[in-house]
Amino acid sequence: MFPKQRREKILEILNSAGHATVEELAREFGVSVDSIRKDLKVLSDAGLCRREYGGALRVGGPVAQAPAAPASPVLADTSDDTLLGDEGRMAVARRAYMEINDGDAIFLDISRTNLYLADIIAAGDKRLIVTTNMIEIPQRLAANPKVTALATGGYLNAQLTGFIGSATISLLEPLLFAKAFIGANGVDLATSAVLAHDMDDGMVKEKALKNASYRFLLADKAKFHIGGGYRFASINDFTAVITDETDPEVLRAIVRTGTPALC
């Protein structure tokens, strides 16, 4: 399939499901995630979709004037998986909020789960200082006068919708956090590797971990079935793994690293 045809199909998927991740699209078309990211950049630059961390969303109504196609079982499954993924991230975010105390200084990194956590914080009554490198998070926290939101600054990566790279790491250098809530591109239980989108993303996560007294990995169940990316930490570098995973084998594998799983 030529790239132009693949992009038309991607638009059909976004029209039908409303959202898709790069991993889902790569599996659907049998291409690399880098190829899908390039496709999404082309579509986003044309205003046909809105990119977000790890995938893309449709814009408003129909995303494009691609020929209509009947919904297939694959598209229906993608929609269901997306809904379940959002429910899982929300469950993880709710459990993460339980670890935050009034008066804490915390760090939220670039993560879709942290967007849900930011919404919960914005609706809560805890007095917090929240530092983040994700540009959407301060906007979500702005309505709560009890929350002081700080953005790191640095190099803005439009695909990740956040600040990454050496400048961001330098700006984080003097900042200390009671707790850091860190997302991941995937978790390899066989090697205990915690994976980031790329090196620049991973090095910021690594710096935040070093500056935090308590370090929480936010990993919905889908993350334990995703491989590839930059290894920025091991599972045992975290105070705990917060997850919606219910598979006993997966939970036992986490605990064997010496790190508790919080569900």
Side-chain angles (χ1 to χ4, degrees), residues 189 221 224-225 243-254 261 263:
L189 290 172
K221 63 179 65 177
F224 299 105
H225 305 283
T243 182
D244 66 325
E245 181 61 79
T246 57
D247 185 336
E249 287 299 319
V250 174
L251 295 175
R252 279 195 287 268
I254 295 171
C263 304

PDB file of all heavy atoms in Angstrom, residues 189 221 224-225 243-254 261 263:
ATOM      1  N   LEU A 189       8.554  -6.629  30.823  1.00  0.00           N
ATOM      2  CA  LEU A 189       8.674  -7.379  32.063  1.00  0.00           C
ATOM      3  C   LEU A 189       9.820  -8.385  32.032  1.00  0.00           C
ATOM      4  O   LEU A 189      10.370  -8.739  33.079  1.00  0.00           O
ATOM      5  CB  LEU A 189       7.356  -8.092  32.367  1.00  0.00           C
ATOM      6  CG  LEU A 189       6.188  -7.182  32.766  1.00  0.00           C
ATOM      7  CD1 LEU A 189       4.902  -7.984  32.837  1.00  0.00           C
ATOM      8  CD2 LEU A 189       6.471  -6.495  34.087  1.00  0.00           C
ATOM      9  N   LYS A 221      -2.741  -1.409  31.722  1.00  0.00           N
ATOM     10  CA  LYS A 221      -2.421  -2.788  31.335  1.00  0.00           C
ATOM     11  C   LYS A 221      -1.859  -2.908  29.914  1.00  0.00           C
ATOM     12  O   LYS A 221      -1.057  -3.814  29.642  1.00  0.00           O
ATOM     13  CB  LYS A 221      -3.651  -3.681  31.504  1.00  0.00           C
ATOM     14  CG  LYS A 221      -4.827  -3.328  30.621  1.00  0.00           C
ATOM     15  CD  LYS A 221      -5.998  -4.289  30.827  1.00  0.00           C
ATOM     16  CE  LYS A 221      -6.575  -4.189  32.204  1.00  0.00           C
ATOM     17  NZ  LYS A 221      -7.770  -5.068  32.387  1.00  0.00           N
ATOM     18  N   PHE A 224       2.107  -3.134  29.244  1.00  0.00           N
ATOM     19  CA  PHE A 224       2.900  -4.346  29.461  1.00  0.00           C
ATOM     20  C   PHE A 224       2.943  -5.224  28.212  1.00  0.00           C
ATOM     21  O   PHE A 224       3.525  -6.312  28.239  1.00  0.00           O
ATOM     22  CB  PHE A 224       2.343  -5.126  30.650  1.00  0.00           C
ATOM     23  CG  PHE A 224       2.391  -4.346  31.935  1.00  0.00           C
ATOM     24  CD1 PHE A 224       1.235  -3.800  32.472  1.00  0.00           C
ATOM     25  CD2 PHE A 224       3.592  -4.126  32.580  1.00  0.00           C
ATOM     26  CE1 PHE A 224       1.274  -3.069  33.646  1.00  0.00           C
ATOM     27  CE2 PHE A 224       3.649  -3.392  33.759  1.00  0.00           C
ATOM     28  CZ  PHE A 224       2.486  -2.858  34.291  1.00  0.00           C
ATOM     29  N   HIS A 225       2.344  -4.749  27.132  1.00  0.00           N
ATOM     30  CA  HIS A 225       2.340  -5.498  25.879  1.00  0.00           C
ATOM     31  C   HIS A 225       2.920  -4.668  24.736  1.00  0.00           C
ATOM     32  O   HIS A 225       2.663  -4.945  23.572  1.00  0.00           O
ATOM     33  CB  HIS A 225       0.912  -5.951  25.547  1.00  0.00           C
ATOM     34  CG  HIS A 225       0.273  -6.733  26.651  1.00  0.00           C
ATOM     35  ND1 HIS A 225       0.569  -8.055  26.899  1.00  0.00           N
ATOM     36  CD2 HIS A 225      -0.623  -6.366  27.608  1.00  0.00           C
ATOM     37  CE1 HIS A 225      -0.119  -8.472  27.945  1.00  0.00           C
ATOM     38  NE2 HIS A 225      -0.853  -7.469  28.395  1.00  0.00           N
ATOM     39  N   THR A 243      -1.155   0.682  38.473  1.00  0.00           N
ATOM     40  CA  THR A 243      -1.683   0.048  37.267  1.00  0.00           C
ATOM     41  C   THR A 243      -3.116  -0.423  37.471  1.00  0.00           C
ATOM     42  O   THR A 243      -3.570  -0.588  38.606  1.00  0.00           O
ATOM     43  CB  THR A 243      -0.795  -1.160  36.874  1.00  0.00           C
ATOM     44  OG1 THR A 243      -1.284  -1.751  35.670  1.00  0.00           O
ATOM     45  CG2 THR A 243      -0.764  -2.211  37.977  1.00  0.00           C
ATOM     46  N   ASP A 244      -3.803  -0.623  36.347  1.00  0.00           N
ATOM     47  CA  ASP A 244      -5.132  -1.248  36.387  1.00  0.00           C
ATOM     48  C   ASP A 244      -5.039  -2.722  36.001  1.00  0.00           C
ATOM     49  O   ASP A 244      -6.055  -3.388  35.824  1.00  0.00           O
ATOM     50  CB  ASP A 244      -6.093  -0.521  35.446  1.00  0.00           C
ATOM     51  CG  ASP A 244      -5.688  -0.675  33.977  1.00  0.00           C
ATOM     52  OD1 ASP A 244      -4.466  -0.708  33.693  1.00  0.00           O
ATOM     53  OD2 ASP A 244      -6.572  -0.741  33.115  1.00  0.00           O
ATOM     54  N   GLU A 245      -3.822  -3.237  35.867  1.00  0.00           N
ATOM     55  CA  GLU A 245      -3.608  -4.628  35.479  1.00  0.00           C
ATOM     56  C   GLU A 245      -4.196  -5.571  36.532  1.00  0.00           C
ATOM     57  O   GLU A 245      -4.061  -5.343  37.739  1.00  0.00           O
ATOM     58  CB  GLU A 245      -2.108  -4.900  35.319  1.00  0.00           C
ATOM     59  CG  GLU A 245      -1.765  -6.312  34.893  1.00  0.00           C
ATOM     60  CD  GLU A 245      -2.348  -6.674  33.552  1.00  0.00           C
ATOM     61  OE1 GLU A 245      -1.780  -6.265  32.523  1.00  0.00           O
ATOM     62  OE2 GLU A 245      -3.401  -7.376  33.536  1.00  0.00           O
ATOM     63  N   THR A 246      -4.861  -6.624  36.065  1.00  0.00           N
ATOM     64  CA  THR A 246      -5.444  -7.619  36.973  1.00  0.00           C
ATOM     65  C   THR A 246      -4.880  -9.021  36.748  1.00  0.00           C
ATOM     66  O   THR A 246      -5.204  -9.930  37.510  1.00  0.00           O
ATOM     67  CB  THR A 246      -6.979  -7.668  36.811  1.00  0.00           C
ATOM     68  OG1 THR A 246      -7.297  -7.952  35.436  1.00  0.00           O
ATOM     69  CG2 THR A 246      -7.613  -6.344  37.214  1.00  0.00           C
ATOM     70  N   ASP A 247      -4.066  -9.191  35.712  1.00  0.00           N
ATOM     71  CA  ASP A 247      -3.482 -10.493  35.415  1.00  0.00           C
ATOM     72  C   ASP A 247      -2.493 -10.869  36.524  1.00  0.00           C
ATOM     73  O   ASP A 247      -1.481 -10.176  36.717  1.00  0.00           O
ATOM     74  CB  ASP A 247      -2.762 -10.439  34.069  1.00  0.00           C
ATOM     75  CG  ASP A 247      -2.230 -11.798  33.629  1.00  0.00           C
ATOM     76  OD1 ASP A 247      -1.994 -12.659  34.496  1.00  0.00           O
ATOM     77  OD2 ASP A 247      -2.036 -11.979  32.416  1.00  0.00           O
ATOM     78  N   PRO A 248      -2.745 -11.953  37.258  1.00  0.00           N
ATOM     79  CA  PRO A 248      -1.857 -12.322  38.374  1.00  0.00           C
ATOM     80  C   PRO A 248      -0.410 -12.523  37.941  1.00  0.00           C
ATOM     81  O   PRO A 248       0.519 -12.200  38.697  1.00  0.00           O
ATOM     82  CB  PRO A 248      -2.464 -13.619  38.916  1.00  0.00           C
ATOM     83  CG  PRO A 248      -3.892 -13.587  38.465  1.00  0.00           C
ATOM     84  CD  PRO A 248      -3.897 -12.877  37.159  1.00  0.00           C
ATOM     85  N   GLU A 249      -0.201 -13.060  36.730  1.00  0.00           N
ATOM     86  CA  GLU A 249       1.161 -13.301  36.262  1.00  0.00           C
ATOM     87  C   GLU A 249       1.919 -11.997  36.079  1.00  0.00           C
ATOM     88  O   GLU A 249       3.095 -11.887  36.437  1.00  0.00           O
ATOM     89  CB  GLU A 249       1.138 -14.099  34.954  1.00  0.00           C
ATOM     90  CG  GLU A 249       0.755 -15.554  35.116  1.00  0.00           C
ATOM     91  CD  GLU A 249       1.725 -16.305  36.017  1.00  0.00           C
ATOM     92  OE1 GLU A 249       2.949 -16.071  35.909  1.00  0.00           O
ATOM     93  OE2 GLU A 249       1.258 -17.110  36.831  1.00  0.00           O
ATOM     94  N   VAL A 250       1.246 -11.008  35.515  1.00  0.00           N
ATOM     95  CA  VAL A 250       1.879  -9.705  35.315  1.00  0.00           C
ATOM     96  C   VAL A 250       2.178  -9.056  36.662  1.00  0.00           C
ATOM     97  O   VAL A 250       3.271  -8.522  36.891  1.00  0.00           O
ATOM     98  CB  VAL A 250       0.984  -8.786  34.462  1.00  0.00           C
ATOM     99  CG1 VAL A 250       1.573  -7.374  34.386  1.00  0.00           C
ATOM    100  CG2 VAL A 250       0.828  -9.364  33.055  1.00  0.00           C
ATOM    101  N   LEU A 251       1.218  -9.107  37.569  1.00  0.00           N
ATOM    102  CA  LEU A 251       1.417  -8.501  38.881  1.00  0.00           C
ATOM    103  C   LEU A 251       2.547  -9.187  39.637  1.00  0.00           C
ATOM    104  O   LEU A 251       3.356  -8.521  40.306  1.00  0.00           O
ATOM    105  CB  LEU A 251       0.116  -8.552  39.680  1.00  0.00           C
ATOM    106  CG  LEU A 251      -1.052  -7.731  39.108  1.00  0.00           C
ATOM    107  CD1 LEU A 251      -2.317  -7.956  39.929  1.00  0.00           C
ATOM    108  CD2 LEU A 251      -0.708  -6.247  39.069  1.00  0.00           C
ATOM    109  N   ARG A 252       2.622 -10.509  39.524  1.00  0.00           N
ATOM    110  CA  ARG A 252       3.717 -11.226  40.188  1.00  0.00           C
ATOM    111  C   ARG A 252       5.063 -10.841  39.581  1.00  0.00           C
ATOM    112  O   ARG A 252       6.069 -10.720  40.296  1.00  0.00           O
ATOM    113  CB  ARG A 252       3.496 -12.734  40.098  1.00  0.00           C
ATOM    114  CG  ARG A 252       2.530 -13.272  41.143  1.00  0.00           C
ATOM    115  CD  ARG A 252       2.625 -14.792  41.246  1.00  0.00           C
ATOM    116  NE  ARG A 252       2.024 -15.432  40.085  1.00  0.00           N
ATOM    117  CZ  ARG A 252       0.755 -15.815  40.019  1.00  0.00           C
ATOM    118  NH1 ARG A 252      -0.059 -15.607  41.044  1.00  0.00           N
ATOM    119  NH2 ARG A 252       0.282 -16.409  38.941  1.00  0.00           N
ATOM    120  N   ALA A 253       5.094 -10.654  38.260  1.00  0.00           N
ATOM    121  CA  ALA A 253       6.341 -10.258  37.599  1.00  0.00           C
ATOM    122  C   ALA A 253       6.804  -8.890  38.077  1.00  0.00           C
ATOM    123  O   ALA A 253       8.007  -8.653  38.242  1.00  0.00           O
ATOM    124  CB  ALA A 253       6.141 -10.252  36.082  1.00  0.00           C
ATOM    125  N   ILE A 254       5.860  -7.980  38.300  1.00  0.00           N
ATOM    126  CA  ILE A 254       6.218  -6.656  38.824  1.00  0.00           C
ATOM    127  C   ILE A 254       6.789  -6.795  40.233  1.00  0.00           C
ATOM    128  O   ILE A 254       7.856  -6.248  40.544  1.00  0.00           O
ATOM    129  CB  ILE A 254       4.989  -5.727  38.832  1.00  0.00           C
ATOM    130  CG1 ILE A 254       4.502  -5.451  37.406  1.00  0.00           C
ATOM    131  CG2 ILE A 254       5.322  -4.410  39.538  1.00  0.00           C
ATOM    132  CD1 ILE A 254       3.170  -4.734  37.348  1.00  0.00           C
ATOM    133  N   ALA A 261       3.093  -3.287  43.352  1.00  0.00           N
ATOM    134  CA  ALA A 261       2.081  -2.856  42.370  1.00  0.00           C
ATOM    135  C   ALA A 261       0.877  -2.343  43.122  1.00  0.00           C
ATOM    136  O   ALA A 261       0.330  -3.043  43.975  1.00  0.00           O
ATOM    137  CB  ALA A 261       1.713  -4.008  41.452  1.00  0.00           C
ATOM    138  N   CYS A 263      -3.002  -1.078  42.773  1.00  0.00           N
ATOM    139  CA  CYS A 263      -4.122  -1.178  41.856  1.00  0.00           C
ATOM    140  C   CYS A 263      -5.336  -0.473  42.442  1.00  0.00           C
ATOM    141  O   CYS A 263      -5.435  -0.283  43.646  1.00  0.00           O
ATOM    142  CB  CYS A 263      -4.458  -2.634  41.561  1.00  0.00           C
ATOM    143  SG  CYS A 263      -3.065  -3.591  40.909  1.00  0.00           S
TER     144      CYS A 263
END
